[in-house]
Amino acid sequence: MSRISLDPPRTLGYRLASWLTRRKFGAELDPARAMGHHMAVSTGYGMLEAQALRWKAVPYRLKDLAVMASAVKIGCSWCVDFGTWESTTHGIPLEKLEAVPAWRGSDLFTEEERLVMEYAEAMTADPPEVTDELSAALRGFLNERQLVELTMMVALENLRSRFNAAAGLTGQGFKDRCEIPRREAEGASP
């Protein structure tokens, strides 16, 4: 159960935002419903998210893995649910996304992906645990512009995950949209 009501006042601004999210995502997003109680907060946050969509220096593959590693470390089940669905729309295999919580023991990730997830976890730690050595290792794969973008994406996910976790938001079933149903064996009756 959420700690903030998901039934905000149905103002004109809220109804418009609700329509836009239903159109884009097929559902009204619970974080938007919670933020709907304070439209100035909701509007400012929405503008930040809209701008983040324009950041294109870092490939989605890396940003999505960093975001997922951060959400897992914070423990935001809503973010993991939504992030899994969103990442699959960017072409990341579901198997890889499901391995993020235990990425250190998985052979599914490249060295670059491992550094990105390590960086995301180090940024998300409280206090942050980013080292000069980790930043230098990342610079072997990313230029300064890309490192700034990656850092801001992880910071943005910290904002998302911490709000959603504090609000008590849990998954909305987005992950279910990306799972592929198993086929019945040929010749077997349904």
Side-chain angles (χ1 to χ4, degrees), residues 132-152:
D132 293 342
E133 294 78 18
L134 178 55
S135 295
L138 268 173
R139 280 194 193 90
F141 294 98
L142 305 175
N143 62 37
E144 295 295 320
R145 182 172 189 243
Q146 291 172 315
L147 187 55
V148 168
E149 183 174 314
L150 177 66
T151 301
M152 285 306 297

Side-chain angles (χ1 to χ4, degrees), residues 94-162:
L94 185 57
E95 175 186 33
K96 197 171 212 177
L97 295 166
E98 290 176 338
V100 168
W103 65 266
R104 283 178 174 82
S106 172
D107 60 357
L108 295 175
F109 302 101
T110 66
E111 180 184 354
E112 179 184 33
E113 292 168 342
R114 289 174 178 285
L115 284 170
V116 163
M117 289 186 287
E118 182 179 352
Y119 185 72
E121 288 181 354
M123 272 189 67
T124 303
D126 187 20
E129 299 171 349
V130 176
T131 64
D132 293 342
E133 294 78 18
L134 178 55
S135 295
L138 268 173
R139 280 194 193 90
F141 294 98
L142 305 175
N143 62 37
E144 295 295 320
R145 182 172 189 243
Q146 291 172 315
L147 187 55
V148 168
E149 183 174 314
L150 177 66
T151 301
M152 285 306 297
M153 282 307 301
V154 174
L156 177 55
E157 183 54 36
N158 270 259
L159 171 68
R160 294 172 183 145
S161 289
R162 292 182 189 283

Side-chain angles (χ1 to χ4, degrees), residues 28 49 75 100 139 189:
E28 201 170 345
E49 287 285 0
V100 168
R139 280 194 193 90
S189 58

Side-chain angles (χ1 to χ4, degrees), residues 61-97:
R61 167 183 61 87
L62 297 177
K63 287 193 284 193
D64 287 351
L65 291 173
V67 162
M68 188 65 74
S70 182
V72 166
K73 183 158 181 81
I74 290 171
C76 177
S77 62
W78 193 93
C79 300
V80 170
D81 175 53
F82 183 82
T84 299
W85 169 77
E86 186 175 44
S87 296
T88 60
T89 69
H90 296 151
I92 299 177
L94 185 57
E95 175 186 33
K96 197 171 212 177
L97 295 166

